[in-house]
Structures are given as structure tokens and as C-alpha cells.
Amino acid sequence: MIVKNLTKKGFFNNISFSIREGDKVAVLSNNALATTMLFDVLSGKEEADSGTVHWGKTIKYGYLPQNNNPYFEGNTNSIVDWLRQYSKDQTEMYIRSWLGRMLFSGEEALKPVNVLSGGERVRCMFAKLMLESPNFLLMDEPTNHLDLESITALNKGMINYKGCMLFASHDQEIVETTANRIFDLIDENTFKDLQTVNFDD
């Protein structure tokens, strides 16, 4: 991924960076809205005021947004039927196998998605991401609504993930154990690419 002179007024100005093969980059900022806007622009959900985002030809990215409400609100489908729309294999056994990895089993997988808790929604979004098999992950605060056991499992999965990753998290353990680079979005006009991570400074 190559980003050149990316600007979204009120959020960030003239950002440029590149993500190399194997990079796992944490985005830090005191302004969560700016971080979310950056992810939304990179994923194509929002349009930049200026600048370019270039994805490589072999890149297939998946996005875990911080606000997943649009995926669930007003949707009365069961969890199985909700996930089926993102799967090439439409058989119930196949869909349930993915839901089982996210701890949805038996009757639980038949719950309508509009009544799910925050944590259950995040687990559904992870099942969706796994089905899509991206080789580049964009994740905005992926630990939100997760319990400690789920966060530990997520941390392990992020460490073992073979593709590229750009993520925002307030979980210091995840940042320290996963990221090999840090982007610091200090304010609208200050963006730092910290090539070497040293949390002891």
C-alpha cells in the first residue's frame, strides 16, 4: 500500500506512508475520530479531500470498523443467514463451522443479529473477515466489547497472521507484541512514522 499526500480536512493533513510486505503497523492518536476517519478513507468508505491511496494488485483487504452498527441494525436475519451472505459456500454446515470458531454453536447461531451484544457483533465481524480471507487487515479498535479471554485469543491471532496489518488499539500488550512499526497521528498537521518501536523511551 502506498499513500501519498492524503488529506481529510479537520482530521489529518498531507499524510504519506507505505506499508511493506509483512508490516504490522499500529496507529496511535489522541483523537479517535481522526484515526477512524483515516481507516474509513483507506478502506474507501469515505473520500479524501486530496491525495491518493494505492493498493497493490495482489492485495485483498478486509476492514473491521470500530462502528459496526450498519451491518446489524434493522437486520432480523439469524447469525447463520447473516454470515451466509459473505460466503461462497452457502451450506449451513460450512457456515456453522466458521461460527463455531467464534463460539456460536447450536441454537445460539440462530439468534437474530439485531439483538446481539457488542461482543457478539465483534465476533460476527471476525467470522466475516476470516471467510473473506484478506491478506491485508485494517482494524479500528478490534478489542472493543471483547472479554479478556477473547482479547488474548485475538492477540495470538494477530501475532500469527501472515499478511499485512494496519490497526488502532489502546491495548498496550497487543501493540507491543504485534506491531513492528508505529504511526503517530499527533494532530491534524503532525504525522510521524516511527520506524523503530521502543516503548521504554
Side-chain angles (χ1 to χ4, degrees):
M1 173 203 271
I2 299 174
V3 173
K4 290 185 177 180
N5 306 320
L6 200 65
T7 294
K8 185 71 173 179
K9 293 175 183 175
F11 297 96
F12 47 83
N13 183 47
N14 206 34
I15 287 178
S16 296
F17 61 84
S18 62
I19 306 292
R20 304 180 295 261
E21 184 177 354
D23 272 346
K24 295 180 180 179
V25 185
V27 181
L28 306 182
S29 178
N30 291 326
N31 185 349
L33 293 178
T35 308
T36 293
M37 182 57 72
L38 175 60
F39 279 91
D40 283 350
V41 169
L42 295 177
S43 68
K45 185 178 176 182
E46 293 281 348
E47 191 172 337
D49 294 317
S50 60
T52 59
V53 177
H54 176 72
W55 292 93
K57 290 182 179 179
T58 61
I59 297 299
K60 178 184 180 184
Y61 69 84
Y63 181 30
L64 183 79
Q66 186 172 171
N67 177 19
N68 57 39
N69 289 340
Y71 291 89
F72 300 100
E73 286 183 348
N75 191 331
T76 57
N77 283 336
S78 68
I79 299 175
V80 170
D81 288 336
W82 179 88
L83 189 60
R84 183 178 277 121
Q85 66 185 313
Y86 302 108
S87 176
K88 291 180 181 179
D89 188 329
Q90 300 283 292
T91 62
E92 184 144 342
M93 184 178 294
Y94 181 77
I95 302 298
R96 280 182 173 270
S97 71
W98 288 96
L99 288 174
R101 299 180 192 190
M102 292 293 106
L103 306 180
F104 292 111
S105 59
E107 293 295 313
E108 201 172 23
L110 300 178
K111 289 169 65 173
V113 296
N114 63 335
V115 301
L116 297 180
S117 69
E120 288 171 328
R121 288 183 176 191
V122 173
R123 282 155 48 202
C124 283
M125 293 297 290
F126 277 123
K128 170 183 175 292
L129 271 184
M130 290 192 301
L131 266 177
E132 293 170 341
S133 299
N135 55 16
F136 194 119
L137 285 177
L138 296 166
M139 297 195 294
D140 187 8
E141 298 293 346
T143 61
N144 281 5
H145 307 293
L146 297 181
D147 58 26
L148 183 58
E149 186 178 357
S150 298
I151 291 172
T152 301
L154 171 63
N155 192 181
K156 187 179 295 184
M158 290 172 70
I159 292 170
N160 294 330
Y161 181 67
K162 301 301 182 185
C164 293
M165 187 185 299
L166 189 68
F167 69 95
S169 178
H170 285 96
D171 189 302
Q172 188 171 347
E173 177 78 11
I174 284 182
V175 173
E176 288 186 5
T177 58
T178 304
N180 69 308
R181 293 169 69 191
I182 298 286
F183 291 166
D184 195 352
L185 186 56
I186 297 169
D187 55 46
E188 184 179 350
N189 295 304
T190 310
F191 175 82
K192 291 185 177 180
D193 180 352
L194 309 178
Q195 298 291 333
T196 304
V197 181
N198 187 349
F199 290 93
D200 296 326
D201 288 348

